[in-house]
Amino acid sequence: MKQSADWYLDDVRPLAAHEFEEIRQLAHRTFGLDLKAGKEELVSSRLRRLVRSGNFGSFREYCRHVLEDRTGESLASMIDALATNHTAFLREPDHFQFLREQVLPALALRDGAEVWSAACSTGEEVWTLACVMNEALPSRRIQISASDISGKALQIAGQGAYSVERCKDLPSAWLSRYFVPEGRPPKSYQVNAELRRQASFRRINLIERFSWPRPFAAIFCRNVMIYFDQQTQEQVVRKLSDCLEPGGYLFVGHAESLSRVNHGLEYVRPAIYQKPGKRGSKWTKSS
């Protein structure tokens, strides 16, 4: 088995096949991650720091510690290490165009609009949604509920501060209106206080039980399904659908498809699905 190039720099034994299988089963059981054969080097490189810092002599010792840690902190650290947090502002921009042109106008009579970013990673999707919604519904109450399984990613998302490089694709009007530059010339930008008040962050494991006080008009859960097997995908889509109001939309990643997944949603266009039914009158503006 090919190992990470720095394995010989410490006393941790290389990841063995049975250790990879133990970690694979743990990851699948606890947060749905489907680590297929060929991911051994990725697992070794991402977990080696945790194995080394905990003074474990092997990945098996580390895995046993994760299982025995009743606080859940070791499992959370493992999830943070294995979870992929790749994201960007305005990623898959046609989704935001559809939201602006097809979804938000239907919410204009409401007192407010609320959407859920169900795998928000480090927050770029959350703040893109905030900008789009404020532009489309300037006089409405905007609320974005955001969640992720990674506590580390949620910390970054909540702070809303990003390097100039991360912000390079943002429209200049958004940068001046919704972001505060830090440094002269700017070394980074932070989402302004008004927008940050419109978002709330919560740690959610999508394969565990969770609930919201009310359904959402739209849910973004993009580029997550690709890490789940079919059974887990069906479980997660069912839960997401339960959190949508009738007529609400589910956005998934363009690299994902629900064609092999049993669900009751209607296909709208690639990576966009709608829950059947009409929106209830309770969502319209009070008379």
Side-chain angles (χ1 to χ4, degrees), residues 128-200:
T128 301
L129 285 169
C131 292
V132 170
M133 294 174 72
N134 277 275
E135 294 285 303
L137 303 170
S139 60
R140 300 299 179 200
R141 178 185 60 83
I142 304 298
Q143 180 61 46
I144 301 167
S145 297
S147 67
D148 201 86
I149 194 171
S150 170
K152 181 179 179 181
L154 286 171
Q155 270 192 325
I156 298 171
Q159 292 169 354
Y162 304 93
S163 68
V164 170
E165 176 64 21
R166 296 291 290 175
C167 298
K168 64 181 175 63
D169 294 326
L170 283 170
S172 58
W174 284 11
L175 273 179
S176 61
R177 190 174 306 152
Y178 300 119
F179 290 78
V180 179
E182 299 182 339
R184 293 187 180 180
K187 295 182 178 179
S188 63
Y189 291 91
Q190 184 175 31
V191 178
N192 68 29
E194 182 179 358
L195 246 64
R196 295 204 308 275
R197 284 193 292 268
Q198 295 176 345
S200 60

Side-chain angles (χ1 to χ4, degrees), residues 1-18:
M1 183 186 304
K2 186 177 179 181
Q3 298 295 327
S4 175
D6 65 345
W7 71 265
Y8 57 84
L9 297 178
D10 53 54
D11 297 328
V12 180
R13 292 191 292 275
L15 178 68
H18 68 277

